[in-house]
Amino acid sequence: MGPTASPRRRTGLLYAGLVVFVALLLFTARSIQTAWEQRVDEARAEAVFDLVGQRTPPRPTEAPGAMAWLRQELTRYEPRLAGDVRDRYRRFAAAGDRVPDELNRALLALRAGALDGASAAAAASAAKSIITIAVPLGDVPQTSLREQRVIVIAGDPLAMTRRRLRDPLDVLHADARARAVAPIVASAAHALANELAAHPLPGVPGAKPPRPVRVYAVMEDASLISAPAPDGQPAADAAVRELTLLSARSGQPAFAPQEFFFRFDPNFSVQSQSSYSGFYLDLGGRGLVSTVMLPIVSTLGDRGVLALDLAFDMDWREFAAGIDGPVVGAAVSVADARAATWSALGSALGGDGPASLVAALDGLAARDLQGGVPADIAPLRHAVVEGAGAVAAFQVSDRIWLLMLFPRSAPAFPWTAIALLGVLLVTLLAGFEFHRRRADDERRKAERALAEKQNLLNTMQVPLVVVDPNDDSIVSSNRAAESLGIRAGDRFADLVAADPDARAHYQRMQTASAEPRRAYGVPVVVRGDDGAPEPRYAVVRSVAVTAPIEALAADERHRLGILFLLDRDADLSLLTREIEHDARHDERRRLAGLLSHGVDTLARVLEHCLSQRTDTADAREFTAWLADYVERRLAVTAWLLDHWDAAPPTAHDSIVDRDQMAATIARFTRVFEVAARDRDLRARLHWDNGTLSAPLAGAPIAAECDWPAAYACTAPVRGGVGLFLGEALINAVRHGRPGSTPRVSLVCDRVRRDVHVTVENDLDPGAAVDGGEAYGGIAIMTTIARLFGWRDVAIGRVDRRFVVSWRMPASVRGQAGEAE
């Protein structure tokens, strides 16, 4: 644009260019986002294809990739439900150690039936009644590793499968175990049927309630006894069908050995323990099922699991329609599971399904015609179509199959986004060049302005330095800075006083931040008037260099700093005077609070004992202990004053055991007995309204100790535990209800390895508890507990009692001379 262009036109063109740049930027960002989402979808399709391409699981009890995908989609189906149905679906779909609330009555019926069945089995064994174990019914196939039988309980046939046994004696033992378990299964099945008839289950996820498929028991010897649901057919036919399902896949495990079985406590508590499997695809062909489990023990002592399989109805067509792309699917109906070949599934789908799925099924149908129809009747069919992807067929109910196609695709390279990024790069480079030229002009202006300011600073004798924040080196300095010994090439951090806190503060202030300007104070060591180094306190004003300054050899990487040196006596004393006064006042308050709590009380008791004329061995021993305790308390008070603000843990140099605590309580009991006999002493101790103000019926303290001698606690200072316990006891006696007896409890927890100490006393209804002093009794006790590392410290009113409790970590001491 020529220099003759009007300012309005020039401004309008600049804004127009800005609008074009922003529009291009938004379009490029949207293109990148679209390409990214496409790549994510394609990568997801590739990952899902690799997942479902797995034909065989790593272990027999794990689901293959297609089954894992179905479980994930069942979880994602939940947001499509509404209200209460969604919450109920979530509870039924998730596995856990407790059953959903809607199944609690069914679980109780199973437990009650199991107990009744166990009682019936015990009665039959006592009466020497024989439960019939029949040969297989009909044309049930026999596998090479397992055998099938029918157990008849009061006319009800039960299906049984177990390992094939060769030894006749093993067969007799296995039959006896089966006769002990069969009544439990039969009784539980009848109890469940009665319960569901009286209280039907709610519908999940549709309106139809879940229906029972079978009640069965899996024992430790891998035997399985099942009571299948009749579903409108004779019981004998249901048993034959159940044996057919159990023996249909001889090369793979039956439906029972899932990974959620036998995850129970070894105690096998039938009354309390249960588990729930959540949704999974039934290997017996009953579709979407879940399992309720509880442990059982037969009359012969065999342990096992009693389980209930529930089948759920779902709108599978809606389920298939809601699956996110690029995976596509549909639900079809096939009458006979044995006839559900790829050809039959493709015919049931017809031409109404997704085109890619129809084409894949046509290819699999042609493969069936060439290679023959497979004999597998598994509820999960799986095949890979070359060039299309993987196809999985799930038998989700007796007749309905869910067909899914997992396409395999390669991500496309976003050439459009790359081209737009190139345009954006050229635009940015042009903008950078434009701003660089403007910066050169501004730099020259800044240099002229800085030269004027530099002359002014030299006149004012203000130290000015330029520092490179990358290595903290001084780039340049003015004459005033050089007179202080600050020269180019030195490190500014070396001028900071050798104080860790000062240098840490300087490093924090040197960290890059969003603020271009900053000011901070730091102690430095500079050259004095006599040329010797002297410590001074400086206020540093630091700003970022925004444009090169040739006169100072500074560029955009550097920071410009101005130092203002303060006089210690004239300037800093105004700031530190009030701080020093508050610190000394706080130390005096802390010392007064520590010395006034407990020491004056025990000193008055010691004075009282020394003034007595009783000269017995017991009195002399008690007076000597009291004097030693006062001295030790002063030592602990000095330690506490020195460590008041320290951070735990602290080194422990004292051991406290049961006998020492018992002796401490006994000594304090003696102190309170002395005060109880002397009214004048109680008045001097301000105990006129405490527990000792009324006649005592027994000892002034009730103590309870459950502390084995092998356990001991440690403390960082000798006498600290006694000081804490003494504060609690004196507080209980001083402020307790007249005539009441404070209680002390020491209980050792062998599992948690700690000693739980509790001191409590009764309070008058109107009694007030003062805990607001910064260095009062409660503050002292709280500080001791923190420094000693105690847990669960509680100090305060509980109803009409004042309770002080804490837990001291304990350790076990070995016997003397015992090898480690």
Side-chain angles (χ1 to χ4, degrees), residues 176-352:
R177 290 194 292 269
R179 293 188 182 97
V181 177
I184 297 177
V185 178
S187 178
H190 282 290
L192 177 69
N194 295 334
E195 171 61 29
L196 295 183
H199 303 89
L201 297 175
V204 179
K208 293 183 179 180
R211 63 187 187 280
V213 177
R214 59 179 67 86
V215 176
Y216 57 98
V218 183
M219 306 306 292
E220 288 181 313
D221 61 352
S223 63
L224 183 145
I225 299 177
S226 175
D231 285 341
Q233 59 183 338
D237 295 342
V240 171
R241 181 183 179 186
E242 187 76 357
L243 289 180
T244 302
L245 292 175
L246 295 178
S247 59
R249 307 177 68 196
S250 58
Q252 299 185 23
F255 66 85
Q258 295 290 338
E259 60 183 352
F260 49 78
F261 276 86
F262 298 108
R263 296 186 305 165
F264 295 97
D265 191 278
N267 296 325
F268 273 78
S269 175
V270 179
Q271 289 76 15
S272 61
Q273 197 167 8
S274 64
S275 183
Y276 181 71
S277 68
F279 287 162
Y280 65 96
L281 193 63
D282 182 29
L283 296 180
R286 295 301 183 92
L288 185 65
V289 298
S290 67
T291 303
V292 178
M293 295 155 287
L294 66 154
I296 59 173
V297 180
S298 70
T299 55
L300 298 181
D302 296 325
R303 300 183 299 179
V305 175
L306 181 65
L308 163 66
D309 283 353
L310 293 172
F312 296 83
D313 289 327
M314 181 183 292
D315 188 349
W316 292 103
R317 289 179 174 82
E318 179 187 358
F319 176 83
I323 294 177
D324 296 335
V327 180
V328 296
V332 298
S333 178
V334 178
D336 188 4
R338 293 179 178 272
T341 62
W342 292 117
S343 299
L345 294 173
S347 300
L349 178 62
D352 297 335

Side-chain angles (χ1 to χ4, degrees), residues 11 23 64 273 349 399 411 472 500 558 608 638 644 656 667-668 677:
T11 303
Q273 197 167 8
L349 178 62
R399 295 176 178 270
D472 203 45
H558 303 147
H608 173 78
W644 185 272
V656 181
R667 291 300 187 180
F668 274 109
R677 292 193 298 265

